[in-house]
């Protein structure tokens, strides 16, 4: 047994719907633009960009959502989240779903002003994307219980007004191809999460806003934005 010089951090985990067991989160991959944001936008031959958040950014999508520091443009991105249960590299699309343990609805929260600055300066995206509490997720639903959904609304409202709505059937790069793409670049491991991209309608949040959202058939949530800690 190892002796640590510091107490090791507790593993990040997600609730699993219908059981007290937890899903241990290993890494968080996020896919860039993966829905058409305008009617004429089509999938190109290029795979979408991907980036990462720390596992510690994953929190339950419930209760209070703290407004993060160093931004005046804290934005919501509702996304289908895929949980990897079986690792692998160079996974063929036909086998990809065998590697998927389950699904959740999640928020890829973004400090948009910092992302704009990163794009302008050619800098890293972590300040824009990888901050504390930046990846709230609903409890995971096992594929063993619901199968692998090919359709279902992905939606988000702020103070009851709809901001984002699409269908996971409209993903430009479906889950199978995202698993294939990522596994060519890195070996996927059990516990990895993949945020699959957000539809049009992303926008800023203010302290006091009530956010509701979800993916039909997978999970929904309600959170309230709280003031930046002083
Ligand atoms: Mn996103």
């Amino acid at each position: 047994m190892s002796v640590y010089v510091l107490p090791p951090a507790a593993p990040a985990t997600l609730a699993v719907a219908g059981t007290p067991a937890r899903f241990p989160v290993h890494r968080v991959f996020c896919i860039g633009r993966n829905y058409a944001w305008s009617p004429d936008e089509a999938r190109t031959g290029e795979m979408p960009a991907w980036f990462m958040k720390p596992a510690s950014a994953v929190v339950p999508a419930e209760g209070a959502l703290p407004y993060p520091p160093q931004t005046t443009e804290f934005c919501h991105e509702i996304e289908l989240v895929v949980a990897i249960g079986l690792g692998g590299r160079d996974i063929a699309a036909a086998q990809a779903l065998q590697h998927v343990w389950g699904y959740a609805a999640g928020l890829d929260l973004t400090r948009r002003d910092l992302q704009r600055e990163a794009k302008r300066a050619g800098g890293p995206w972590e300040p824009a994307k990888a901050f504390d509490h930046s990846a709230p997720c609903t409890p995971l639903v096992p594929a063993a219980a619901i199968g692998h959904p090919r359709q279902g609304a992905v939606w988000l409202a702020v103070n009851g007004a709809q901001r984002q709505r699409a269908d996971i059937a409209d993903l430009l790069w479906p889950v199978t191809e995202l698993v294939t793409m990522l596994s060519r670049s890195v070996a996927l491991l059990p516990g990895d999460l993949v945020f699959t991209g957000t539809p049009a309608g992303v926008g800023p949040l203010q302290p006091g806003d009530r956010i509701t959202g979800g993916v039909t058939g997978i999970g929904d949530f309600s959170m309230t934005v709280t003031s930046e800690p002083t």
Side-chain angles (χ1 to χ4, degrees):
M1 185 178 159
S2 298
V3 174
Y4 296 102
V5 298
L6 296 173
T13 64
L14 266 182
V16 175
T19 162
R22 311 279 304 180
F23 181 91
V25 177
H26 186 55
R27 297 174 297 184
V28 180
F29 297 92
C30 299
I31 304 298
R33 186 71 72 84
N34 198 21
Y35 290 89
W37 280 17
S38 60
D40 59 341
E41 190 173 336
R43 163 173 157 164
T44 67
E46 273 182 46
M47 289 287 187
W50 60 272
F51 58 91
M52 298 186 75
K53 295 180 186 243
S56 59
V58 175
V59 294
E62 60 186 30
L65 174 62
Y67 196 100
Q70 299 193 326
T71 185
T72 56
E73 201 174 348
F74 177 41
C75 285
H76 56 78
E77 296 191 1
I78 182 71
E79 308 199 1
L80 170 70
V81 178
V82 175
I84 300 296
L86 176 66
R89 64 174 75 233
D90 296 326
I91 297 167
Q95 271 76 55
L97 295 181
Q98 298 171 22
H99 295 260
V100 174
W101 190 89
Y103 297 90
L107 283 168
D108 166 17
L109 295 167
T110 302
R111 294 192 280 212
R112 192 73 68 200
D113 41 2
L114 300 191
Q115 186 189 30
R116 198 177 300 114
E117 174 58 20
K119 287 180 176 178
R120 186 196 67 75
W125 280 23
E126 280 84 353
K129 291 287 195 178
F131 54 94
D132 298 340
H133 313 285
S134 62
C137 288
T138 63
L140 280 168
V141 182
I146 63 159
H148 296 280
R150 294 182 187 278
Q151 57 186 45
V154 51
W155 64 277
L156 182 138
V158 177
N159 302 324
Q162 184 172 288
R163 293 264 188 99
Q164 294 187 269
R165 189 176 187 90
D167 196 288
I168 59 173
D170 298 327
L171 283 165
L172 297 175
W173 295 88
V175 171
T176 48
E177 292 183 77
L178 297 177
V179 169
T180 296
M181 175 196 80
L182 285 169
S183 73
R184 285 181 182 148
S185 191
V186 295
L188 288 177
L189 292 166
D192 288 341
L193 300 180
V194 183
F195 281 61
T196 57
T198 199
V202 301
L205 297 163
Q206 306 299 335
D209 281 348
R210 189 172 66 90
I211 316 169
T212 50
V215 180
T216 302
I218 292 173
D220 51 35
F221 63 86
S222 175
M223 302 182 81
T224 301
V225 182
T226 58
S227 297
E228 182 178 342
T230 50

